[in-house]
mmCIF file of all heavy atoms in Angstrom:
data_model
loop_
_atom_site.group_PDB
_atom_site.id
_atom_site.type_symbol
_atom_site.label_atom_id
_atom_site.label_comp_id
_atom_site.label_asym_id
_atom_site.label_seq_id
_atom_site.Cartn_x
_atom_site.Cartn_y
_atom_site.Cartn_z
ATOM 1 N N VAL T 7 5.268 -1.174 -20.161
ATOM 2 C CA VAL T 7 4.065 -1.371 -19.274
ATOM 3 C C VAL T 7 4.654 -1.469 -17.818
ATOM 4 O O VAL T 7 5.485 -2.219 -17.616
ATOM 5 C CB VAL T 7 3.467 -2.728 -19.674
ATOM 6 C CG1 VAL T 7 2.244 -2.874 -18.658
ATOM 7 C CG2 VAL T 7 2.841 -2.656 -21.101
ATOM 8 N N ILE T 8 4.105 -0.647 -16.966
ATOM 9 C CA ILE T 8 4.429 -0.550 -15.550
ATOM 10 C C ILE T 8 3.264 -1.097 -14.802
ATOM 11 O O ILE T 8 2.054 -0.661 -15.004
ATOM 12 C CB ILE T 8 4.706 0.916 -15.141
ATOM 13 C CG1 ILE T 8 5.973 1.334 -15.824
ATOM 14 C CG2 ILE T 8 5.017 0.890 -13.589
ATOM 15 C CD1 ILE T 8 6.263 2.867 -15.718
ATOM 16 N N ILE T 9 3.441 -1.982 -13.954
ATOM 17 C CA ILE T 9 2.379 -2.655 -13.098
ATOM 18 C C ILE T 9 2.605 -2.350 -11.607
ATOM 19 O O ILE T 9 3.680 -2.829 -11.084
ATOM 20 C CB ILE T 9 2.237 -4.156 -13.411
ATOM 21 C CG1 ILE T 9 2.045 -4.447 -14.880
ATOM 22 C CG2 ILE T 9 1.012 -4.739 -12.659
ATOM 23 C CD1 ILE T 9 2.400 -5.838 -15.283
ATOM 24 N N GLU T 31 8.366 9.729 -11.829
ATOM 25 C CA GLU T 31 9.235 8.712 -12.544
ATOM 26 C C GLU T 31 8.634 8.242 -13.863
ATOM 27 O O GLU T 31 9.404 8.162 -14.765
ATOM 28 C CB GLU T 31 9.363 7.474 -11.573
ATOM 29 C CG GLU T 31 10.254 6.378 -12.186
ATOM 30 C CD GLU T 31 10.407 5.257 -11.195
ATOM 31 O OE1 GLU T 31 10.196 5.397 -9.918
ATOM 32 O OE2 GLU T 31 10.636 4.081 -11.662
ATOM 33 N N GLU T 104 9.017 -3.765 -23.134
ATOM 34 C CA GLU T 104 9.584 -3.803 -21.843
ATOM 35 C C GLU T 104 8.423 -3.831 -20.780
ATOM 36 O O GLU T 104 7.464 -3.014 -20.930
ATOM 37 C CB GLU T 104 10.539 -2.660 -21.465
ATOM 38 C CG GLU T 104 11.906 -2.787 -22.191
ATOM 39 C CD GLU T 104 11.791 -2.290 -23.636
ATOM 40 O OE1 GLU T 104 10.803 -1.353 -23.997
ATOM 41 O OE2 GLU T 104 12.568 -2.642 -24.551
ATOM 42 N N VAL T 105 8.620 -4.520 -19.620
ATOM 43 C CA VAL T 105 7.564 -4.585 -18.581
ATOM 44 C C VAL T 105 8.243 -4.423 -17.244
ATOM 45 O O VAL T 105 9.125 -5.154 -17.072
ATOM 46 C CB VAL T 105 6.680 -5.831 -18.729
ATOM 47 C CG1 VAL T 105 5.715 -5.899 -17.528
ATOM 48 C CG2 VAL T 105 5.952 -5.962 -19.974
ATOM 49 N N GLN T 106 7.703 -3.561 -16.454
ATOM 50 C CA GLN T 106 8.142 -3.440 -15.067
ATOM 51 C C GLN T 106 7.131 -3.839 -14.135
ATOM 52 O O GLN T 106 6.053 -3.166 -14.147
ATOM 53 C CB GLN T 106 8.705 -1.927 -14.878
ATOM 54 C CG GLN T 106 9.172 -1.769 -13.460
ATOM 55 C CD GLN T 106 9.242 -0.293 -12.976
ATOM 56 O OE1 GLN T 106 8.223 0.338 -12.829
ATOM 57 N NE2 GLN T 106 10.494 0.241 -12.890
ATOM 58 N N LEU T 107 7.430 -4.762 -13.214
ATOM 59 C CA LEU T 107 6.475 -5.118 -12.104
ATOM 60 C C LEU T 107 7.075 -4.662 -10.866
ATOM 61 O O LEU T 107 8.175 -5.020 -10.491
ATOM 62 C CB LEU T 107 6.389 -6.614 -12.162
ATOM 63 C CG LEU T 107 5.455 -7.313 -11.022
ATOM 64 C CD1 LEU T 107 4.090 -6.717 -11.097
ATOM 65 C CD2 LEU T 107 5.508 -8.775 -11.129
ATOM 66 N N ARG T 108 6.307 -3.804 -10.167
ATOM 67 C CA ARG T 108 6.773 -3.057 -8.991
ATOM 68 C C ARG T 108 6.257 -4.006 -7.730
ATOM 69 O O ARG T 108 5.108 -4.053 -7.557
ATOM 70 C CB ARG T 108 6.332 -1.647 -8.939
ATOM 71 C CG ARG T 108 6.853 -0.833 -10.073
ATOM 72 C CD ARG T 108 6.134 0.518 -10.216
ATOM 73 N NE ARG T 108 6.717 1.493 -9.157
ATOM 74 C CZ ARG T 108 7.496 2.466 -9.444
ATOM 75 N NH1 ARG T 108 7.936 2.637 -10.656
ATOM 76 N NH2 ARG T 108 7.913 3.247 -8.511
ATOM 77 N N TRP T 132 11.413 -6.918 -15.937
ATOM 78 C CA TRP T 132 12.165 -6.777 -14.749
ATOM 79 C C TRP T 132 11.240 -6.321 -13.600
ATOM 80 O O TRP T 132 10.232 -5.662 -13.788
ATOM 81 C CB TRP T 132 13.247 -5.622 -15.038
ATOM 82 C CG TRP T 132 13.112 -4.282 -14.668
ATOM 83 C CD1 TRP T 132 13.449 -3.543 -13.514
ATOM 84 C CD2 TRP T 132 12.519 -3.284 -15.553
ATOM 85 N NE1 TRP T 132 13.064 -2.200 -13.710
ATOM 86 C CE2 TRP T 132 12.566 -1.971 -14.888
ATOM 87 C CE3 TRP T 132 12.001 -3.316 -16.929
ATOM 88 C CZ2 TRP T 132 12.057 -0.845 -15.452
ATOM 89 C CZ3 TRP T 132 11.597 -2.142 -17.522
ATOM 90 C CH2 TRP T 132 11.553 -0.931 -16.805
ATOM 91 N N LYS T 134 11.046 -4.357 -10.058
ATOM 92 C CA LYS T 134 11.582 -3.294 -9.176
ATOM 93 C C LYS T 134 11.096 -3.580 -7.796
ATOM 94 O O LYS T 134 9.857 -3.337 -7.431
ATOM 95 C CB LYS T 134 11.117 -1.948 -9.700
ATOM 96 C CG LYS T 134 11.631 -0.743 -8.777
ATOM 97 C CD LYS T 134 11.153 0.626 -9.347
ATOM 98 C CE LYS T 134 11.724 1.763 -8.461
ATOM 99 N NZ LYS T 134 11.489 3.022 -8.884
ATOM 100 N N TYR T 367 19.449 6.606 -13.257
ATOM 101 C CA TYR T 367 18.568 5.437 -13.327
ATOM 102 C C TYR T 367 18.350 4.905 -14.675
ATOM 103 O O TYR T 367 18.556 3.657 -14.945
ATOM 104 C CB TYR T 367 17.215 5.841 -12.800
ATOM 105 C CG TYR T 367 16.068 4.830 -12.683
ATOM 106 C CD1 TYR T 367 16.228 3.589 -12.012
ATOM 107 C CD2 TYR T 367 14.917 4.921 -13.373
ATOM 108 C CE1 TYR T 367 15.287 2.654 -11.983
ATOM 109 C CE2 TYR T 367 13.933 4.038 -13.324
ATOM 110 C CZ TYR T 367 14.105 2.858 -12.645
ATOM 111 O OH TYR T 367 13.102 1.927 -12.629
#
Side-chain angles (χ1 to χ4, degrees):
V7 178
I8 299 170
I9 305 160
E31 182 180 333
E104 289 80 24
V105 175
Q106 180 196 73
L107 176 59
R108 300 169 76 107
W132 90 96
K134 180 176 181 177
Y367 178 60

